[in-house]
Amino acid sequence: MRSKLTILLTLTLGMAYGQSPFIGSYNGSQREAALELYILPQHHFVFAMSYGAIDRTIVGKWEQKGEKIFFQETKSADRDAFIVYEGIDKELLAESEFVFKNFSQNTGTAFRILPEFHPDSMKLIHLRDENTFSMTNRLSVTPKAHSSFFLSAPNNSVENDVYEFKPATTSNTLYLYYNHDTNYDTFQMEAYLKGDSLYMNDGAGERFFAVKGTLNSDYEALLSDATENQRIPLQLEVEGLNGKRIILQRLRPVKQFKCLLHLDENSAYFSDHENGAAPTSPPILH
């Protein structure tokens, strides 16, 4: 026999669900595209999408106005274009290693190891027409060369956002991630129900998305996991030389500014023809 508390909780949950006919799960997957939308109680939503090289989970709030629902993404406060980690690999004795992750997702990014910044000294990481998405590139330099380094990403058709980093003198392993989330505008969408079918309007016209399904009882765990996955960790565990695991610490920029760069469009550190094995030419450190 069910207890009074169990019955009360069940009734309470049912009342919460009854507040909006939109609450539920929607599988809008198509050929070569996995799309899952969860409209949750307390006006939260989770939208997971995976297609091609895109793998995103969007978390935000929804609001119902009349027969329509409006979605607004909740952006993370950590919106730097570059996420950098530093550490020590004891197996690296005569050189330091820079490992570039996801930079081919924006081939306008540039890099340089410099004692002082100069707009003529930045160099493209990948040529602009070499978009390979999942490539990892490695660059070896002498330890004394990396007292400071700069990363830049296009901000608009003219300016670039430039970040200055100063790693510890003992660090010889640096992992540099391009934060591709900065490529996306804040997700906004409106939708409406026609029966159990959800139709979306993203500004390009209305389209059928999915039929409403039942929302699992563990939706709070789903929201918690999705929110946690958007946080950028302060530590990173990677495989160092000879397969040994090393712990890297988050390295934040000491300075950020906007600048007009003068980039050589025919020169880059890495080429997709080399499969990321080595730079196309040695870095000039000055």
Side-chain angles (χ1 to χ4, degrees):
M1 188 177 206
R2 300 172 72 188
S3 68
K4 291 183 178 180
L5 178 59
T6 302
I7 294 173
L8 178 60
L9 289 174
T10 302
L11 290 173
T12 303
L13 183 60
M15 291 175 61
Y17 272 55
Q19 289 177 2
S20 173
F22 288 96
I23 292 175
S25 64
Y26 300 82
N27 186 337
S29 297
Q30 306 168 12
R31 184 179 180 181
E32 299 181 352
L35 303 170
E36 292 274 0
L37 172 64
Y38 303 91
I39 302 178
L40 310 177
Q42 286 83 49
H43 294 267
H44 295 286
F45 77 89
V46 177
F47 190 17
M49 59 182 71
S50 180
Y51 55 92
I54 306 300
D55 192 2
R56 294 185 67 199
T57 299
I58 299 170
V59 177
K61 303 282 283 186
W62 60 264
E63 181 180 6
Q64 184 177 343
K65 295 182 179 179
E67 296 183 351
K68 289 188 176 182
I69 187 172
F70 296 84
F71 302 96
Q72 176 75 39
E73 179 181 5
T74 303
K75 284 288 191 182
S76 168
D78 198 339
R79 296 288 295 164
D80 286 350
F82 307 107
I83 310 300
V84 178
Y85 294 89
E86 66 174 344
I88 302 172
D89 188 342
K90 295 180 180 179
E91 303 296 324
L92 281 172
L93 300 177
E95 58 187 17
S96 294
E97 185 174 59
F98 287 75
V99 181
F100 295 82
K101 296 276 193 177
N102 302 333
F103 278 83
S104 52
Q105 294 188 30
N106 184 339
T107 53
T109 53
F111 171 77
R112 211 53 182 255
I113 302 171
L114 297 165
E116 294 182 3
F117 175 79
H118 194 283
D120 293 334
S121 298
M122 297 295 287
K123 184 175 180 178
L124 289 171
I125 298 173
H126 292 270
L127 295 178
R128 294 187 190 274
D129 60 347
E130 294 185 351
N131 196 327
T132 52
F133 293 107
S134 60
M135 180 179 286
T136 294
N137 301 100
R138 297 175 181 271
L139 181 67
S140 295
V141 301
T142 56
K144 64 181 180 180
H146 67 274
S147 57
S148 295
F149 65 89
F150 296 84
L151 286 164
S152 69
N155 177 269
N156 51 45
S157 59
V158 178
E159 289 185 315
N160 290 259
D161 289 323
V162 182
Y163 297 79
E164 179 183 359
F165 294 87
K166 286 184 176 292
T169 56
T170 54
S171 296
N172 62 4
T173 299
L174 292 111
Y175 271 62
L176 301 78
Y177 288 81
Y178 176 68
N179 186 4
H180 59 83
D181 283 346
T182 58
N183 289 349
Y184 305 116
D185 294 331
T186 301
F187 176 81
Q188 295 177 305
M189 186 79 71
E190 67 176 51
Y192 67 92
L193 280 171
K194 185 183 293 185
D196 283 340
S197 297
L198 187 73
Y199 288 79
M200 286 190 166
N201 186 350
D202 58 2
E206 296 181 348
R207 58 183 176 83
F208 168 75
F209 179 73
V211 174
K212 183 170 73 171
T214 303
L215 188 65
N216 292 335
S217 59
D218 63 347
Y219 67 85
E220 290 183 347
L222 168 72
L223 177 61
S224 177
D225 290 345
T227 303
E228 182 64 28
N229 287 339
Q230 290 193 324
R231 294 192 177 98
I232 298 173
L234 297 178
Q235 290 186 337
L236 187 69
E237 183 177 342
V238 300
E239 186 175 293
L241 199 65
N242 297 330
K244 294 184 177 180
R245 308 298 292 179
I246 59 175
I247 302 296
L248 307 179
Q249 305 293 331
R250 177 85 183 269
L251 176 64
R252 297 186 181 273
V254 296
K255 189 183 300 183
Q256 178 184 353
F257 54 93
K258 298 183 185 302
C259 183
L260 174 63
L261 303 182
H262 307 118
L263 298 170
D264 182 353
E265 297 293 327
N266 299 310
S267 178
Y269 282 103
F270 307 107
S271 168
D272 62 350
H273 302 298
E274 298 172 0
N275 198 28
T280 55
S281 59
I284 301 173
L285 308 176
H286 60 276

